[in-house]
C-alpha cells in the first residue's frame, strides 16, 4: 500500500496516551469531550485532496481550526497541515484516513495538538542551546518533553539536573564510536524518543545512525555569507570581515550539514568584534534558531519536500 | 441573502476582462484553457466549510494550488484563501459558490490570480513611495495597474509622466476640500478604480469619503515605540532618543491612522542620527512597508477580521 | 568644582580593587604591568577637548585602543569614551584627569576594562530575564557580578540558587512598600551595588528611590507600535492586530517608563498568534534587549545626554 | 616619504572646488567662514596619534564634531575618522597634517563633509540598483554626484535620461573587452571620476582594470547561507530551500567577489517563494545594501584594513 506514516513517526506508546487526553472517555455515553487533532500529509498533487480530507473530518464532526496547504509546482507534490476539534477517537479517525491516504498515496501523521514530543538532547560542552531548550520547556513555551540529556562530556550534567533531567554520559572516542552510538540508539528505543536534538553536540553521527533516525534528528550550526569550510569558521569569518553571522537548523541526513533546512537567522556584527565576541553572538543566533526549529517540528509544522522543507507557521 | 462580495469588491469591468484571460474562450469547444482562480471568503466558523468549498472546486475540476485557512477562536470567524486551476468559467464558478456562500453566510470574492488591480495613487510632494510603487509595477513585481496618479501638488507630475501615468492635479484647501474629494471620487468611478493608495498624501480624507471607499484605501504612516501624538513626530522621536523608527500600513477608516493594520516594520537608528536622517531612514521603511501592503492586498492575501486583518502570505 | 564623576558612580570599594588587577603592583620597580582603562566623559562642546584628553593619556604612556566621540549639535554637549592601555596607577591618572576635567567642566568616570560591575537583580515571578542574565554572566558573556537577587515573591529563589546567588525575599504590600524599599536600599549600600536591574520586577519604585539610585537602575518593558496605555498591553496589542511586538530597556527615573532609552528591538507576529504566544515572543525580545542594555551599561558604553542616551557600541 | 593619500584619492579638481565652499574666501579679511572637514587616516598603532591629530586640529581652531577611532589588536593598525569645523584653508590643514602623517607613517585623506563624490555607475539591464541610486541622489539622501551612467546594453538609457544623466553605451564582447575597458577608463579620467559603482553590471572587470581603480570600485552581489558557486545561484538557493537570501557589497579587487566587504543584509523567504520571487526579493536586498555601501564610502566612513574594512558609521 502506498500509504504510510509521515516522515517523523511518533511512537505507539506516546500516541496511545496523549498528554491530558483520555481516549477511553471519548467512547463513553457522557457528553463527549473534544480532542484537538493535528493531521499532516503529503502526496502527489491532484484534484480532490482537500475535499476528501475535509470530508472525512466533517463526517467525524471535526471542526477545522487551522489549515494550510501548499502545492509545489516543481515537484508536483501537495502538502497539508490541518488542525480540527473532534469527539472521534483516534481509531475512528485512522479508519477514516486510511482509505483516503491509500487513494491519494499519502504519507501522513495524526497527533494531538500540544502533545509534548518525547525528546532526547545530545550535548558536548557548550551550554547555550541546552539551557535555552530546558528553560523554554519549563516555561511551557515549547511542546517537548525532554526525557533525557546525553553528553560525550559531563560539563552539562548539573544544568540537566537543575531541570530534573537524567544525564547520560556517553563518551566517544574513535575506538568507541560504534559502541557509543549503539548506546544512544538504545536510549532512543527504550525511552520511546521521537526527536533527537543535537544541541551543539560536537560529534558527527555515522551514516548508519543518520539513516536509522532519518527525519527525527535536528541539528544547529553556524552559517555565514559567504560560508566557510574547514576548521575555526568564526576565525575565518572574522578574518574575512563579514558583517553578518548566522545559524542554520536542519534535519540530519548522511550528508553532513546539508540536510533539509528548517530555519536560519543572522545577527549583525562589525569590525570591532573580536573572534570571541563573534562566537558569543553566534551562540545567541544558534539558540534562537534551534528553539524555533524544535518548536515547529514538535508542532508538526515542518514537512519534508525532498531535500527541502515546507514550514506551515 | 447573507452572501455578499468580500470587503474589496472588484469592479465589474475589471473582472469581465481579466488580464490575459479571454473568458469567451473558456466555453469554446476547443480544449479548454485553465484559469488560475483565487477565492477568498470569511464566515462564522463551523464544521464543513472547507469541505464544501473544496467540494465545489472539485466538481468544477479545480486543482487547488495554494490554500490557507484561519479560524479565530475569539471572534469565532473563519477565513479562507484558496487558489485553484480550473477550466470552469467565472459564471459557472459563481453559480457554484453562491449556494455555499448563502448556507454559511459567507462574505466572498473571486478573482483571477495575477490580475493587476486598477489602482489610483494619491500623492503630495514626497516622492519615495510613488517612485517605489511605479518602479515595482514596471518591474513586474507588483500586480497593480496604476491607472493614474493624483496629487494636491504638482511636484510629482514628472515622475508620473516618466512611467507613462496620467497626473491629475487636485489642489485642496479648506474651502475646496469637498469639491476636491468629489473630483477624486469621480476619478475612482470613471476609471473603475479598485484600490486607492495614499502614498504620503498629506490630506485627511473626510468621513464620508472613508465610508464610500471603505476597505479600498491603503495608507502608510510612520510609527514609533512609544508612539508620538501631534505634529513633527520625527522631531519628537529624535528628542526622545528612540533606537528604532518604524512605519505602519493600514486600511483607512473614519478613525484616523487607526484602521486595520496590514504591515509594520522598523529600522534601527542611533544617537548620531539627526532628525533629517531619521526622516530619510523613515522613508526607507515607509516605502518598504507600503510596497508589501499593496502586494498582499492586490494578491487578495489580506482579509478583514473586524478591526484586525488576517494575512495569508 | 565643575568636575564630578559621571552619571553612574562606581563604589569606592569596587574601584579600589578592580577584578584581576592589583594596583599595588603598578608602582613597583618590577617591569610595570599595563592596565586597560576606560574613561568616559561629557562636557560642553568646544575646541581642544580631544587634544587635552589624548594628551594626558599620552603623558602617562597610554596607548589608546578604542575611542569614540560625539558632539551633539543640539545640546552642544560633547561625549567621549576612550580605552587605553597604561602602566599608570589609578591615582596618577585621576591626578592627571582632574585639572582637564575642571577646565572643561567635565562629568567623567574612570574604570578598568572588563571589571565586573556589582549588580543586584530585582525580580517578581517571571523567570526569563533573570535566567538570561545569570546564564550570560556564567558564560563569561556579560561583565557583571550579580551579587544577589531580590524578589517580592520567592518563585525564582531556586533559579538564583542554581547559579549560586543569594536570594532575598522582600515582599511588598501597600503598607510595607516604604519598609521594603528601605530594605532594598540597605542591600544596595551594604553590598556596594553599582547597578540594579529590574528583571520584570512588577513593582513601581517610589520617586525617592528613583532619585536615590538615579542612573543606576535599568528596567525592561514591552513596547508596541502604536503603544498602549493601561493594563494588559499584550491583550490590547492582540486586539489591535499589530504585526510587531517590541521591548524597550531604559534607565529608571521618577517618570515611569519614560527614562532615557538604552535599547529597543522588535519581533514579528501575525494574526495566528494568541495573546499567550504574543507574551512568550515578547519575553524573547525582553530578555534580548535587557541583555544588551546591561552589557553596554556595564562596559560604560552608555552616556546620558539629558533624557536621551549616547551609545558607544 | 611614508605618508600618502588614503585608499581612495579624490581628484585634484574635485577637491579644489568643493561643493558650496569657496576656498578663496577662506583667506579673505572678511569674517572667516567655517568649513566642515573630514579627515580619515590609518597607520601602525602606537601612543600619541590621537593627541597629535587633535593637536593639529586645535591649532587651526578646529572644533571636532564627530570622531571615531579603532585599533585593531591583530594587525596592530590604527584607524581614525574625524570631522572638524575650522576656518583654516585646505592648504593650511595639509601643511599641518603632513609632518604628523610622516611621523606616524599615515595613509590619510582630507575632504569637505557633504561634498558629493563624482561617481560613474556601470549597468547592464537590471534597473533596481540604478533606480535606487539616482532616486536617492535626487532626494538629497546620498552625497554622490552621478556624473554619468555607462552600460553594455541600452536598456537603462531612458532611466538615466529621466534623471538628467548622460548615458554611454559601451558594448562588451570577448573581442572588444579590452577596448571597452579602455573606453571606461577614459571616461573615469576625463570626468574626474572618484567612485565607480557596479550596479548589477554583468561584466567581470579585468585584473588590470581592477588594479587601476583599486579601492574606487564598489560592487553588489547576492549572498546566501550557505553560499552557492556557479551559475543561477537563486535557482540553487531555491533548490536548497534556504530561509534567508542576502546581498553583499564589497570593493572590487582582482579576486572576483572576494574583495573587502562593506555591507551585508538578508531578507526572509519561505517554501512558497518561487525562484522568480526570490530574485525579486533579492533585488530589494541588493539595492538596500548597495545604497548603504555607497553612502558610507562617499562619506569617508569606510577604511581599508587589509582585506577587511573598518566602518565608522
Amino acid at each position: 500500500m502506498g500509504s504510510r506514516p509521515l516522515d517523523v513517526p511518533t511512537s505507539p506508546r506516546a500516541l496511545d496516551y496523549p498528554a491530558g487526553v483520555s481516549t477511553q472517555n471519548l467512547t463513553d455515553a457522557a457528553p463527549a469531550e473534544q480532542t484537538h487533532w493535528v493531521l499532516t500529509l503529503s502526496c502527489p498533487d491532484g484534484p480532490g485532496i482537500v475535499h476528501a480530507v475535509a470530508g472525512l473530518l466533517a463526517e467525524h464532526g471535526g471542526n477545522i481550526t487551522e489549515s494550510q496547504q501548499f502545492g509545489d509546482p516543481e515537484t508536483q507534490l501537495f502538502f497539508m497541515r490541518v488542525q480540527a476539534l473532534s469527539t472521534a477517537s483516534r481509531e475512528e479517525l485512522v479508519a477514516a484516513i486510511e482509505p483516503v491516504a491509500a487513494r491519494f498515496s499519502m504519507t501522513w501523521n495524526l497527533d494531538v495538538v500540544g502533545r509534548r514530543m518525547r525528546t532526547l538532547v545530545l550535548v558536548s560542552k557548550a551550554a547555550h542551546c541546552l539551557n535555552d531548550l530546558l528553560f523554554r520547556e519549563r516555561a511551557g513555551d515549547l511542546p517537548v518533553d525532554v526525557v533525557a540529556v546525553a553528553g560525550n562530556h559531563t560539563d552539562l550534567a548539573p544544568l540537566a539536573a537543575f531541570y530534573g533531567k537524567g544525564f547520560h554520559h556517553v563518551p566517544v572516542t574513535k575506538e568507541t564510536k560504534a559502541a557509543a552510538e549503539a548506546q544512544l540508539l538504545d536510549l532512543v528505543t527504550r525511552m520511546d524518543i521521537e526527536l533527537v536534538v543535537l544541541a551543539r553536540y560536537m560529534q558527527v553521527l555515522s551514516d548508519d545512525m543518520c539513516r536509522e533516525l532519518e527525519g527525527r534528528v535536528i541539528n544547529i550550526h553556524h552559517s555565514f555569507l559567504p560560508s566557510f569550510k574547514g576548521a575555526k569558521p568564526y576565525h575565518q569569518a572574522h578574518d574575512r570581515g563579514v558583517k553578518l553571522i548566522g545559524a542554520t537548523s536542519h534535519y540530519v541526513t548522511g550528508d553532513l550539514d546539508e540536510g533539509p533546512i528548517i530555519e536560519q537567522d543572522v545577527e549583525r556584527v562589525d569590525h570591532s568584534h573580536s573572534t570571541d565576541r563573534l562566537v558569543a553572538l553566534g551562540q545567541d543566533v544558534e539558540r534562537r534558531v534551534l528553539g524555533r526549529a524544535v518548536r515547529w517540528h514538535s508542532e508538526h509544522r515542518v514537512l519534508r519536500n525532498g531535500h527541502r522543507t515546507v514550514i506551515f507557521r
Side-chain angles (χ1 to χ4, degrees), chain A:
Chain A
M1 193 176 78
S3 151
R4 62 200 153 83
L6 191 63
D7 304 296
V8 189
T10 49
S11 73
R13 196 174 98 189
L15 286 175
D16 284 347
Y17 309 103
V21 175
S22 165
T23 50
Q24 277 78 356
N25 289 346
L26 298 180
T27 53
D28 279 3
E33 289 174 51
Q34 284 194 315
T35 301
H36 202 176
W37 299 98
V38 53
L39 171 65
T40 47
L41 61 91
S42 64
C43 61
D45 208 348
I49 303 169
V50 176
H51 185 229
V53 172
L56 74 88
L57 289 171
E59 276 160 35
H60 290 81
N63 190 10
I64 293 176
T65 58
E66 192 181 324
S67 173
Q68 286 172 290
Q69 293 97 55
F70 173 66
D72 186 334
E74 290 171 37
T75 61
Q76 297 285 331
L77 290 176
F78 178 82
F79 303 86
M80 183 170 186
R81 180 187 188 277
V82 56
Q83 292 188 182
L85 287 162
S86 168
T87 56
S89 72
R90 178 170 176 83
E91 290 69 31
E92 289 166 345
L93 284 177
V94 167
I97 293 167
E98 278 178 343
V100 172
R103 179 176 147 212
F104 292 101
S105 302
M106 285 176 180
T107 296
W108 61 278
N109 187 57
L110 180 69
D111 204 346
V112 172
V113 171
R115 187 185 63 84
R116 293 160 61 211
M117 202 170 269
R118 296 177 64 83
T119 301
L120 172 68
V121 183
L122 299 191
V123 299
S124 291
K125 294 180 171 182
H128 56 289
C129 286
L130 179 64
N131 183 65
D132 203 65
L133 292 170
L134 295 180
F135 179 78
R136 287 181 188 278
E137 181 198 3
R138 180 180 282 183
D141 182 34
L142 205 58
V144 294
D145 175 9
V146 175
V147 180
V149 177
N152 60 330
H153 298 279
T154 56
D155 303 56
L156 304 184
L159 181 59
F162 173 68
Y163 283 99
K165 307 299 183 187
F167 185 88
H168 302 262
H169 182 208
V170 184
V172 181
T173 64
K174 215 189 228 177
E175 291 70 33
T176 63
K177 187 179 179 99
E181 290 200 342
Q183 202 177 336
L184 292 173
L185 282 172
D186 181 59
L187 274 179
V188 168
T189 308
R190 274 195 299 118
M191 292 181 158
D192 284 324
I193 296 301
E194 304 170 75
L195 171 64
V196 177
V197 179
L198 308 187
R200 300 303 289 149
Y201 179 63
M202 305 307 281
Q203 294 289 326
V204 177
L205 301 191
S206 70
D207 282 1
D208 280 357
M209 187 155 177
C210 288
R211 254 189 304 276
E212 178 79 20
L213 298 175
E214 171 83 22
R216 287 192 281 165
V217 185
I218 292 178
N219 191 22
I220 179 74
H221 67 80
H222 36 67
S223 298
F224 306 95
L225 319 83
S227 48
F228 303 104
K229 300 286 181 189
K232 302 208 163 189
Y234 281 103
H235 285 81
Q236 290 188 63
H238 183 261
D239 206 52
R240 184 73 178 77
V242 298
K243 306 302 182 189
L244 295 175
I245 57 172
T248 296
S249 188
H250 62 97
Y251 286 114
V252 173
T253 59
D255 193 3
L256 179 65
D257 286 352
E258 297 286 338
I261 296 170
I262 305 173
E263 171 65 341
Q264 304 184 295
D265 209 346
V266 293
E267 188 90 359
R268 191 161 280 276
V269 298
D270 66 40
H271 62 269
S272 72
H273 290 97
S274 65
T275 302
D276 283 355
R277 193 83 197 93
L278 290 194
V279 171
L281 284 166
Q283 292 185 345
D284 278 358
V285 198
E286 286 169 10
R287 67 183 193 174
R288 201 159 76 223
V289 168
L290 182 61
R292 286 188 205 132
V294 170
R295 165 188 313 287
W296 297 338
H297 176 88
S298 55
E299 291 179 351
H300 300 289
R301 298 188 179 279
V302 188
L303 279 75
R304 290 279 297 272
N305 180 15
H307 49 288
R308 293 203 290 269
T309 59
V310 171
I311 314 274
F312 289 135
R313 292 205 282 171

